[in-house]
Amino acid sequence: MIRVVLADDQLLVRSGFAALLRVEAGITVVGEADDGETAVAVVAETVPDVVLMDIRMPGTDGLEATRRIMADERLSGVRVLMLTTFDLDEYVFDALRAGASGFLLKHTRPADLIQAVRVVAAGDALLSPSVTRRLIAEFTARPAPSLPRADGSAFTEREHEVVLRVARGMSNEEIAREFVISAATVRTHVSRAMTKVHARDRAQLVVFAYQSGMVRA
């Protein structure tokens, strides 16, 4: 069962998302919050798998709430999925650096919302190839290292090749086709690369690739 916390200051948004998720098999909503401060408290109490976190909230916003959640070792298994009205909200980039696993537009289709929750709960980042390519330009223009110090020297040759393609916005399936290997093998390479640079998910691996200079726009 995927446990979800909803954090949004708009009651209608929370209610709508809750209604969609509660009727979906394998997903349950375990808490709600209308501001960042409450969200941190609810997450600490319920320890969900996924938090749908609005970026813009009164008082403590979603970005600061995400930082606090990511900094709590007891919540290391929690994945934060940022909610935004604009797909290139300036705070999204800082949120990814803070450890969020991706972002979702508030006007997304119901099926996409459910899929997003499942993807993030499984430990993957919600960064589509098209979104990743758009993020790249922003990351390269905003030098602000946030990951633990590490370099890619420990990568095998294949891991290095895979990370380069992940950072350029290619999906596992696209990478698999290029190298004529299975998508499962690609996932293994990605997972090992993340471990070596202390990245908690694919989103941080992309950040690492650009901040470390492995990849340049």
Side-chain angles (χ1 to χ4, degrees), residues 47 67-78 200:
V47 192
R67 288 196 184 105
R68 294 186 191 179
I69 292 170
M70 294 297 103
D72 191 334
E73 293 183 357
R74 299 170 301 167
L75 305 176
S76 61
V78 177
R200 59 183 289 149

Side-chain angles (χ1 to χ4, degrees), residues 5-211:
V5 164
L6 302 173
D8 195 298
D9 62 322
Q10 298 181 45
L11 177 59
L12 286 178
V13 173
R14 291 203 317 274
S15 298
F17 282 178
L20 287 171
L21 294 173
R22 284 182 171 131
V23 298
E24 188 67 21
I27 298 177
T28 183
V29 177
V30 297
E32 297 184 26
D34 59 5
D35 60 55
E37 195 73 33
T38 304
V40 173
V42 171
V43 170
E45 179 181 354
T46 61
V47 192
D49 300 297
V50 178
V51 182
L52 292 181
M53 180 82 74
D54 185 19
I55 289 181
R56 301 175 183 274
M57 291 187 289
T60 301
D61 62 16
L63 180 58
E64 177 59 26
T66 297
R67 288 196 184 105
R68 294 186 191 179
I69 292 170
M70 294 297 103
D72 191 334
E73 293 183 357
R74 299 170 301 167
L75 305 176
S76 61
V78 177
R79 296 290 181 262
V80 176
L81 183 56
M82 306 302 297
L83 296 172
T84 178
T85 304
F86 306 103
D87 59 352
L88 284 179
D89 188 304
E90 63 180 352
Y91 294 111
V92 166
F93 311 110
D94 291 330
L96 292 177
R97 289 194 181 98
S101 294
F103 65 94
L104 190 68
L105 296 179
K106 286 188 177 181
H107 59 263
T108 190
R109 297 180 303 173
D112 291 338
L113 167 67
I114 294 167
Q115 178 62 16
V117 169
R118 296 192 186 282
V119 165
V120 172
D124 293 326
L126 191 72
L127 293 175
S128 69
S130 61
V131 168
T132 302
R133 293 183 187 110
R134 294 163 73 184
L135 286 170
I136 284 170
E138 292 292 332
F139 278 131
T140 55
R142 297 167 180 238
S146 62
L147 296 180
R149 289 189 176 182
D151 60 44
S153 61
F155 290 159
T156 64
E157 182 178 353
R158 181 47 59 87
E159 287 167 356
H160 187 272
E161 293 172 339
V162 168
V163 171
L164 291 179
R165 285 154 179 79
V166 168
R168 288 169 180 154
M170 293 177 67
S171 66
N172 287 347
E173 290 70 22
E174 289 172 330
I175 297 171
R177 285 196 295 271
E178 178 175 339
F179 292 129
V180 195
I181 57 179
S182 70
T185 298
V186 174
R187 284 194 293 272
T188 297
H189 288 313
V190 172
S191 178
R192 288 175 179 170
M194 288 191 299
T195 298
K196 289 179 179 180
V197 299
H198 314 296
R200 59 183 289 149
D201 59 25
R202 195 182 184 100
Q204 284 202 330
L205 187 60
V206 172
V207 176
F208 168 82
Y210 278 87
Q211 290 184 340

